[in-house]
Amino acid sequence: MLQVYLVRHGETEWNALRRIQGQSDSTLTANGERQARQVAERAKLLGITHIISSDLGRTRHTAEIIARACNCDVLLDPRLRELDMGVLEMRDIDTLTAEEESWRKQLVDGTPDGRIPQGESMTELSLRMQAVLDGCRDLPPGSLPLLVSHGMALGCLISTVLGLPPYAERRLRLRNCSLSRMDYQQSPWLAPGWVVETAGDVSHLDRPALDEVQR
Ligand SMILES: O=C(O)[C@H](O)COP(=O)(O)O
């Protein structure tokens, strides 16, 4: 049975400052690098064979730390990027105007095709994340891949696999360097296809990690 591990990148400067990143970028903090080393040790013990990462700096840095521990290469895939947050990227979460907050809420309240101006919808995010997950089925038999991505992107993927709307990810905490696992199975008792085995496991971290809204 194919298993695919999912890791959100380590804590970044803007995560700590509660600044919206989206497809903009900020560097890992020292704590974020420490988290990456801890999840890397766990990945090594798991026997990860392939690492596929969002091409943004924070995920690439996290993936490179994991790859060194697992002695494998990193394949960059822009489809694993965080949701494009449009005109709100680089903004401080706590300074949004009421109108700007209404744009953000459209993403997560079920508004059809809800999006931040110049940004991406959760449906578009869900489709590209699913495509990467399904692509893992083309890896050689016996592969154990690990995807490095982002909070909303991974939450949206997990929600989609569970048959929930993409914006259900707002009810799932995927903390920095948390580990999740998807299994592709054909059991007649479970729904055929992907099932969520683990979501948001941080037992490998020795300190509390920030979540999506930097709490
Ligand atoms: O800040 C953002 O854009 C996201 O909500 C969190 O993104 P990250 O998982 O890439 O930190």
Side-chain angles (χ1 to χ4, degrees):
M1 175 176 65
L2 173 63
Q3 298 175 351
V4 178
Y5 282 90
L6 314 172
V7 169
R8 180 178 173 214
H9 61 80
E11 176 190 288
T12 66
E13 298 294 342
W14 287 4
N15 283 157
L17 293 172
R18 290 170 57 86
R19 280 186 71 180
I20 297 171
Q21 298 184 118
Q23 298 197 2
S24 302
D25 215 356
S26 73
T27 55
L28 295 188
T29 61
N31 187 40
E33 290 182 345
R34 173 193 175 85
Q35 293 169 337
R37 289 192 296 272
Q38 290 172 350
V39 75
E41 281 310 304
R42 184 155 179 200
K44 180 180 177 183
L45 292 173
L46 288 168
I48 295 298
T49 60
H50 294 74
I51 296 175
I52 306 169
S53 172
S54 155
D55 60 338
L56 295 176
R58 57 194 185 271
T59 36
R60 218 172 53 232
H61 189 177
T62 303
E64 286 161 358
I65 292 170
I66 298 170
R68 274 199 296 277
C70 298
N71 192 29
C72 59
D73 297 328
V74 176
L75 174 67
L76 298 178
D77 189 331
R79 295 175 299 174
L80 288 171
R81 288 187 176 192
E82 182 58 306
L83 178 80
D84 183 337
M85 307 280 268
V87 297
L88 293 187
E89 295 205 349
M90 300 189 274
R91 288 289 306 280
D92 183 327
I93 286 178
D94 298 312
T95 63
L96 299 184
T97 65
E99 182 186 28
E100 290 169 338
E101 190 54 41
S102 70
W103 296 338
R104 199 193 58 76
K105 283 206 168 67
Q106 271 190 40
L107 285 173
V108 295
D109 66 5
T111 302
D113 199 43
R115 65 183 71 224
I116 295 167
Q118 298 175 33
E120 187 178 17
S121 73
M122 295 297 275
T123 302
E124 288 162 347
L125 175 62
S126 173
L127 290 172
R128 63 176 167 86
M129 291 299 287
Q130 284 180 84
V132 180
L133 181 64
D134 285 336
C136 291
R137 295 175 56 203
D138 299 329
L139 291 171
S143 297
L144 185 60
L146 181 145
L147 310 183
V148 184
S149 185
H150 306 266
M152 293 181 79
L154 292 172
C156 178
L157 177 60
I158 292 171
S159 301
T160 301
V161 166
L162 290 171
L164 295 171
Y167 54 83
E169 61 87 28
R170 291 287 85 186
R171 298 193 179 283
L172 173 64
R173 285 235 173 88
L174 292 179
R175 296 182 182 274
N176 288 119
C177 275
S178 59
L179 192 70
S180 304
R181 193 182 104 190
M182 304 286 200
D183 294 353
Y184 191 83
Q185 47 78 46
Q186 294 301 336
S187 157
W189 295 105
L190 292 172
W194 294 104
V195 296
V196 178
E197 171 65 26
T198 313
D201 179 359
V202 289
S203 58
H204 47 280
L205 299 180
D206 63 2
R207 295 179 196 161
L210 292 174
D211 76 349
E212 178 57 32
V213 285
Q214 293 89 33
R215 278 194 298 267

